[in-house]
Amino acid sequence: QTGRRMSISADSDRQPPRGWYKRNEIAITPWLFLAPGVLFFVVYVIAPIWQSFGMSLYDWNGLGDIDTNGTYVGLENYNKLFGLNGERADRNFQISLWNNLRWLVLYLLAIPLGLFIALFLNQNVRGIRLYKSLFFFPFVISQVVVGLVFSWFYLPNNGLFTIVTGWFGFEISGGVLGNPNTATYGIIVAGLWPQTAYCMILYLTGLNAVDPEQVEAARLDGAKGRKMLWHVILPQLKPATFIAFVVTIIGALRSFDLVSIMTGGGPFGSTRVLSFYVFEKSLSERGLQYGYAAAVAVVLFLIMLVFISYFLWTMYQDEKEAR
């Protein structure tokens, strides 16, 4: 038996060494599954962003090759945007940037509104599923449909909003969408409708994961109402709140479809946002200024990058603390 064991040991010692892949299989396998997604992300996201940076340095009408039909102007497009080096600042760009900031601030109202509706719907009462479906409905319909519905809602003569406000003696000259002072706010309200529904869904999912033992312990300690919400419920809804902030801010910065459907940037260009201004300068009949449009797109990307970097850093810190 001793000789047999020595023979088996000698055979195992003579086995060829494992290859590099076998030695690193556990570490390599996840990257093999991620490789297709990473490849698509690089080709269809990173590469176009890099091309936009390069295109913004040219004066190009989009016809032919940029190296032959375009003129390299360096930072001239950015000088025109911001009024640097003696250039006159682009008034349309300033209006678009200011409107994006208004979208960014007011769009965040969807988060507390979604939380309030989620708390209201998180009850075991008769017919609650029907109410949840009605509140969920705006999220599943197209943004084009939302824009058309609110356009009819705001009609200056026979729109429901005009009729109701008329009962209270309020009248907006030209209607909500026809008045430069109210048009942007009317579009933002239209955008808040489906965005609030999305935030509501996030919070309803989060409320289902709330620890009932913590809630019961807080009740025994005398916590209720706002104290219960602030100190017990909201801390457990932090992941849902984080996702709601990310999606809402990105949605506010890339708001294009509602502006295009409801006003087309009017009246008098008062509802333009940066994404719509990119479209105007590149693809519209007044466009064919692809280099200039790329410069606007780069500014919009950098604004988004600030918020995205902050959110990624926050996620990294949370995971670091969790470890």
Side-chain angles (χ1 to χ4, degrees):
Q1 291 181 354
T2 302
R4 183 179 179 183
R5 290 174 183 171
M6 292 177 63
S7 176
I8 295 174
S9 176
D11 292 339
S12 62
D13 292 339
R14 288 194 299 268
Q15 288 181 357
R18 294 191 302 171
W20 178 84
Y21 175 76
K22 285 295 184 181
R23 295 196 307 269
N24 300 277
E25 184 175 4
I26 296 177
I28 294 173
T29 301
W31 289 104
L32 292 178
F33 283 102
L34 288 172
V38 172
L39 178 62
F40 273 90
F41 183 77
V42 171
V43 172
Y44 293 106
V45 177
I46 301 300
I49 291 174
W50 183 255
Q51 289 178 339
S52 296
F53 275 96
M55 193 185 303
S56 68
L57 304 178
Y58 284 82
D59 181 13
W60 182 48
N61 60 6
L63 302 177
D65 187 72
I66 189 172
D67 294 325
T68 56
N69 294 346
T71 303
Y72 180 80
V73 294
L75 299 177
E76 186 66 23
N77 289 324
Y78 296 97
N79 294 335
K80 291 179 180 179
L81 286 179
F82 297 101
L84 304 176
N85 292 339
E87 295 283 352
R88 185 178 179 182
D90 188 344
R91 177 63 177 166
N92 293 329
F93 170 76
Q94 293 177 341
I95 293 173
S96 302
L97 182 60
W98 169 241
N99 283 337
N100 262 118
L101 294 177
R102 283 195 283 187
W103 270 86
L104 188 62
V105 173
L106 297 178
Y107 221 50
L108 292 175
L109 291 174
I111 298 174
L113 290 174
L115 174 62
F116 175 78
I117 297 173
L119 293 172
F120 170 73
L121 295 177
N122 191 43
Q123 305 178 54
N124 292 322
V125 296
R126 186 176 181 180
I128 195 64
R129 291 185 178 180
L130 175 61
Y131 302 144
K132 288 182 179 180
S133 300
L134 292 175
F135 279 102
F136 176 72
F137 174 72
F139 178 67
V140 299
I141 61 178
S142 170
Q143 290 277 55
V144 175
V145 176
V146 173
L148 290 175
V149 168
F150 273 85
S151 296
W152 299 331
F153 181 66
Y154 290 140
L155 284 175
N157 295 323
N158 52 3
L160 181 60
F161 179 82
T162 305
I163 295 173
V164 172
T165 53
W167 294 344
F168 298 95
F170 294 102
E171 183 178 352
I172 300 175
S173 177
V176 174
L177 300 181
N179 191 315
N181 297 321
T182 59
T184 296
Y185 298 106
I187 301 174
I188 293 174
V189 170
L192 281 173
W193 190 39
Q195 190 64 29
T196 300
Y198 180 74
C199 294
M200 177 205 71
I201 297 167
L202 292 175
Y203 280 120
L204 278 176
T205 305
L207 287 171
N208 291 331
V210 169
D211 188 357
E213 294 183 358
Q214 291 189 24
V215 175
E216 189 62 30
R219 285 176 179 170
L220 292 175
D221 290 338
K224 58 182 179 180
R226 285 179 294 180
K227 289 184 178 181
M228 173 73 76
L229 176 63
W230 187 258
H231 296 287
V232 180
I233 303 298
L234 286 181
Q236 298 186 65
L237 293 177
K238 187 177 179 181
T241 303
F242 176 79
I243 297 174
F245 264 102
V246 173
V247 175
T248 302
I249 287 176
I250 293 177
L253 290 175
R254 63 180 184 86
S255 50
F256 169 84
D257 37 16
L258 289 177
V259 175
S260 178
I261 292 297
M262 297 179 69
T263 63
F268 312 114
S270 61
T271 59
R272 283 189 184 98
V273 290
L274 291 176
S275 57
F276 188 82
Y277 194 42
V278 171
F279 165 76
E280 276 192 332
K281 283 297 183 181
S282 58
L283 298 174
S284 71
E285 59 184 11
R286 295 171 294 178
L288 297 182
Q289 301 179 42
Y290 280 81
Y292 196 75
V296 180
V298 168
V299 173
L300 178 59
F301 169 73
L302 293 177
I303 295 173
M304 284 190 177
L305 187 63
V306 171
F307 291 99
I308 293 173
S309 300
Y310 169 74
F311 290 132
L312 291 176
W313 175 255
T314 304
M315 289 179 61
Y316 172 75
Q317 292 297 322
D318 290 342
E319 292 184 1
K320 190 175 180 181
E321 292 177 1
R323 293 175 186 175

